[in-house]
Structure formats: C-alpha cells, structure tokens
Amino acid sequence: MDEALIRQVVEKVLAAYGEERAESDSGSKPGDGAGILSIPAEASGRHVHLSQKHVEALFGAGYVLKKKKDISQPGQYLCEERVTLVGPKGRMDKVAVLGPVRKETQVEISLTDGKALGINAPVRMSGDLAGAADAFLMNGSSLIKAENAVITAQNHLHMTTKDAERFQVKNGEKVQIIMNTKRPLIFQDVVVRADDHGALGFHMDYDEANACGFQKGDTATLLKNGELPPCSSCPGKELEPGSAQTEPKTEIIEAKLISEMDIRELHQRQISTVQVKKGSLVTPLARDLAREKHMTIHIVQ
C-alpha cells in the first residue's frame, strides 16, 4: 500500500470516528544509547505486613518473624512464614509475609484477587488504610480478623532524593510511566516516593504486569507531563572532548498522519524534536525510526 493511499485511509478513519487521542510517544528508550535514565520495574504479588500483635496471635507468644531474603527496598525482607488469606468467596494459601513488623497489619492484593476472594479492596498507597477492607488470616488452627487492613496497592515509583533531583520530580508528585515491554503501556498518576532510603524502582501488581506483558528485567521510563526528561538531566550524556554542541531543532507537524517518510525527511534536516498535534496518528514505523535516530516526539494541544 503506497503512502498516498495510507494517508487517505487514515483521513477517512479520523473523520468517521472523530478526533483520536494521540498516543504519547518518544524517540528514545532507556538503554538505546540516547542517554535517558532507565528505571527498574518490579511486579509484586499478594502479601501481608503483620503487626507484632497479629504475629503472636498467628504464630505464638513472643514469636519473631524469620528473615528469608532481602527484597528490593532497603530494610524490607521476605519472611519464612506464610499465611492463608480468607474472604467471603474463597481462600488463598501460602501468602507471603514481609518484614519487619508494622504498627498495623496490612494486606495487599490485586483487583483480580479481590474478585476471587469476594473482597472489595480500595486502591490505596501503602500505609493508607482509610476505608480498607476486612479479611481473615490463618496459620494452622490460629485465626485472626484483620480489620481495615486489605488494599490494592497504588502503583508507585520509589527513588532516593538524589534520583528525584535527576528526574526533576518531588516526593508525592504524580507522573506518567511508560513500560518498555512487548505491550507498551502508560500508567497515569504514578506517585513518586522519594526519600533518603529508597531504591529506584517502579512497583506494580500482577494485574498491571500482565496487562503490559512484563517480564523480569524489563524497564520503565518516566514521562513527566507526557514528555521524556531532557537529556541534560541524564548521566552519561556528556560531550566527547573536542566535539561541538549543536542547538536542538524543533518542528511542529500539522498533518493528521506522521509516517516513516516524514521522520526520515525531518532527520535529514537535523530536527531532533517533533511536536505533533493532539489527534494526529504516528505510525509504528515512524515511531521505530524516531527511536533509531534518537528523535523525540511530543504531543501538544
């Protein structure tokens, strides 16, 4: 199918269905040599954080949780112990217990888990148990009711305060995250959790991981206000000795269809940033070529 025919088809589709929301896009991905910071991504399965009171109710007076191995966030670890989670519609055995103990017991499940268990768990940041659901926890014959304890964890971005400076974000700020996976997906309203003890990483649950085809080792990219962070804030982008710095060139494209041919022509004119009107369609081949040429595509109103 030639370029002219493709344009005609797209024009008809857009006219028939109205203005389509343009897909936020970037010409660079972490690890492709463009200097953009790569963010480790991690999927968390269902687990519980127990209070000492509930530890002793389930495992015995004076019981101390046994550490099995450290997990990604400093100071937190997987325990040897497992519990059974019980809801109105079913149960889930061998649910992981994470340490250390907390002031209040917290149970974190996915929305899919909630459907299976019959538990309507609200989406909350870890530690926010306002309006949290109830569930029962078991260990052998020991049974407790965990009241106001069950949530579906809001996805979030851990980082140190130094990371926050590099990414130009603040603790508590909401950002967008795009997953660099076989089914790329953008997560909205991801909360930044920046402190002196955090380790850089984007955390999501298995529902979200499955939606984007996540596999261990896949990374994410931060999109602040729909744009990739400027390369000036990225390490490893220093100019080589003797090289001259060229002024970045930006061009606004009014067309409703941006093709590979358009990107190639822009690259020949040394355009590094392309601004595309909201409602335009950027073809997959155009996005691939932009990544290859380290060009950035921004969606504008």
Side-chain angles (χ1 to χ4, degrees):
M1 187 178 291
D2 61 31
E3 193 76 24
L5 184 55
I6 291 175
R7 289 182 183 276
Q8 291 176 13
V9 172
V10 171
E11 291 283 349
K12 290 180 180 179
V13 171
L14 292 177
Y17 291 97
E19 183 181 83
E20 295 292 330
R21 180 180 177 86
E23 184 178 5
S24 294
D25 192 22
S26 162
S28 303
K29 279 189 177 183
D32 69 357
I36 300 299
L37 285 168
S38 176
I39 298 172
E42 180 180 347
S44 299
R46 67 187 76 98
H47 60 273
V48 304
H49 303 271
L50 294 172
S51 66
Q52 184 59 36
K53 175 183 176 180
H54 285 164
V55 168
E56 296 188 22
L58 289 168
F59 299 100
Y63 192 89
V64 177
L65 294 174
K66 298 179 176 63
K67 178 178 175 180
K68 183 175 183 179
K69 65 176 182 180
D70 291 319
I71 56 177
S72 60
Q73 289 306 303
Q76 298 187 34
Y77 51 87
L78 175 66
C79 300
E80 297 280 356
E81 295 77 13
R82 298 275 172 152
V83 295
T84 296
L85 175 59
V86 182
K89 291 185 178 180
R91 58 185 279 173
M92 292 181 176
D93 298 319
K94 298 182 178 179
V95 176
V97 176
L98 300 187
V101 295
R102 292 195 177 184
K103 182 179 179 180
E104 296 179 290
T105 291
Q106 177 174 297
V107 181
E108 297 182 35
I109 61 174
S110 69
L111 294 176
T112 299
D113 289 340
K115 297 252 183 215
L117 293 166
I119 298 175
N120 185 21
V123 178
R124 295 277 189 274
M125 288 298 296
S126 179
D128 180 4
L129 300 180
D134 301 339
F136 289 94
L137 298 176
M138 293 177 55
N139 175 48
S141 60
S142 299
L143 174 70
I144 63 167
K145 183 177 183 181
E147 297 182 293
N148 300 318
V150 189
I151 63 171
T152 295
Q154 168 72 43
N155 52 36
H156 51 279
L157 178 59
H158 284 287
M159 61 175 62
T160 65
T161 51
K162 289 185 178 180
D163 288 329
E165 292 177 3
R166 288 192 293 162
F167 282 103
Q168 300 178 10
V169 296
K170 297 179 180 179
N171 182 52
E173 182 176 347
K174 291 183 178 179
V175 297
Q176 293 176 313
I177 287 287
I178 182 169
M179 294 300 301
N180 304 313
T181 55
K182 58 187 178 183
R183 296 179 65 187
L185 188 154
I186 294 177
F187 290 104
Q188 306 277 358
D189 297 331
V190 177
V191 179
V192 175
R193 304 191 72 174
D195 57 51
D196 293 333
H197 306 291
L200 183 63
F202 171 61
H203 286 196
M204 57 188 163
D205 66 21
Y206 282 169
D207 282 358
E208 295 163 320
N210 289 334
C212 65
F214 174 77
Q215 294 181 343
K216 188 175 182 179
D218 285 341
T219 61
T221 299
L222 185 149
L223 300 173
K224 187 177 182 185
N225 299 321
E227 300 180 359
L228 285 167
C231 288
S232 61
S233 68
C234 306
K237 195 60 179 178
E238 294 80 12
L239 293 173
E240 295 181 1
S243 64
Q245 183 170 1
T246 59
E247 187 71 17
K249 295 182 180 179
T250 300
E251 183 154 326
I252 299 175
I253 305 298
E254 300 284 351
K256 292 186 177 180
L257 172 68
I258 293 84
S259 69
E260 178 186 16
M261 184 183 300
D262 296 318
I263 296 299
R264 195 174 300 281
E265 188 269 333
L266 290 166
H267 180 258
Q268 289 174 350
R269 293 196 285 113
Q270 299 183 338
I271 303 299
S272 58
T273 300
V274 182
Q275 293 188 353
V276 178
K277 291 290 187 179
K278 180 180 179 182
S280 298
L281 176 65
V282 183
T283 68
L285 288 177
R287 293 197 297 269
D288 289 343
L289 182 60
R291 279 191 286 269
E292 179 184 332
K293 301 302 184 182
H294 308 323
M295 297 169 65
T296 301
I297 298 175
H298 290 165
I299 308 302
V300 297
Q301 297 292 331

